Amino acid sequence: MSSPPFGGGNEMPAVFPDWSPYPDLDSAARAYLRDPDVALEALFGVLRGAQVLCFTLERFVNEVNGVWQEVVVCDGSRLVLWHGEDVAPGDGPVGAMTSSLRVVPLSTVTEVGCRRRLTRTPNGQARVDSIDVYLLLSSVDDAVPPPGVGEEEGRAPLRHDALRFGKTLDDGGPGQINRLEEFSRVVASLVGRPTL
């Protein structure tokens, strides 16, 4: 790891550098992620030279598990998702983290949604102060039925799996809001079309 784990001698700040000015994945990840080498090795191992059309990054500090990090890359035919998370105290050695990779074919994205919240400046100009993006997948969410719902009461309703992303002025700023909206537009432009 490139820095001490959460809860160690140097706790991670809740606000991180802005990755939005960096047009390429490598530079953005190195500016923003705590563990860019782990993330990039996993991602580039799958991308294998494929062109990165768009990407989005997320990182926050969780009081239980420490640092949570995510990168989502679109290469024109797939979404490649990397997720890194510190292991909760007591669940492993100090400084342990998980590194997970998921590949989702774009052909399984059935819907792309983007909701922007607009506010008015004192001069009446509209500005985006938050954005929420979802990608609905054809796969079914494998969530466990809620407590108290047994087989005798029937099956829990099936829900499609979804990927959700969000940015606000306080969490990411205008640059990351714009980059997430760009990500949603690129993915939406590819959904339903023949893959590259």
Side-chain angles (χ1 to χ4, degrees):
M1 286 190 234
S2 57
S3 63
F6 178 73
N10 299 322
E11 292 193 6
M12 298 298 298
V15 178
F16 308 107
D18 185 8
W19 61 267
S20 66
Y22 300 94
D24 65 289
L25 177 60
D26 188 85
S27 298
R30 292 188 186 286
Y32 188 69
L33 299 177
R34 186 196 62 194
D35 303 293
D37 291 331
V38 175
L40 293 170
E41 179 183 5
L43 290 164
F44 290 141
V46 171
L47 291 168
R48 303 246 179 219
Q51 181 183 8
V52 173
L53 299 182
C54 60
F55 61 89
T56 187
L57 305 175
E58 185 58 76
R59 173 178 164 181
F60 63 85
V61 173
N62 174 321
E63 291 183 14
V64 176
N65 290 6
V67 176
W68 185 96
Q69 307 165 87
E70 182 178 57
V71 180
V72 184
V73 176
C74 178
D75 70 357
S77 63
R78 311 169 287 182
L79 295 169
V80 183
L81 299 90
W82 175 83
H83 167 238
E85 184 174 8
D86 289 345
V87 173
D91 287 348
V94 174
M97 68 175 283
T98 60
S99 174
S100 306
L101 198 64
R102 179 179 181 187
V103 178
V104 177
L106 275 181
S107 60
T108 66
V109 177
T110 60
E111 185 176 320
V112 178
C114 178
R115 178 180 294 183
R116 301 181 311 157
R117 186 174 71 189
L118 304 170
T119 56
R120 298 265 178 209
T121 61
N123 67 2
Q125 185 177 14
R127 77 169 186 180
V128 179
D129 71 359
S130 71
I131 186 169
D132 292 302
V133 172
Y134 73 88
L135 308 179
L136 188 63
L137 306 178
S138 60
S139 56
V140 176
D141 187 354
D142 59 359
V144 179
V149 176
E151 286 185 29
E152 65 280 354
E153 297 174 27
R155 293 185 160 183
L158 293 178
R159 289 181 26 192
H160 282 275
D161 197 3
L163 305 173
R164 299 186 183 280
F165 313 98
K167 294 288 182 181
T168 67
L169 289 178
D170 293 332
D171 175 24
Q176 290 182 37
I177 289 173
N178 290 338
R179 291 294 296 273
L180 180 54
E181 185 169 13
E182 174 190 340
F183 174 84
S184 73
R185 287 178 177 170
V186 171
V187 173
S189 75
L190 297 169
V191 169
R193 301 177 112 188
T195 55
L196 300 177

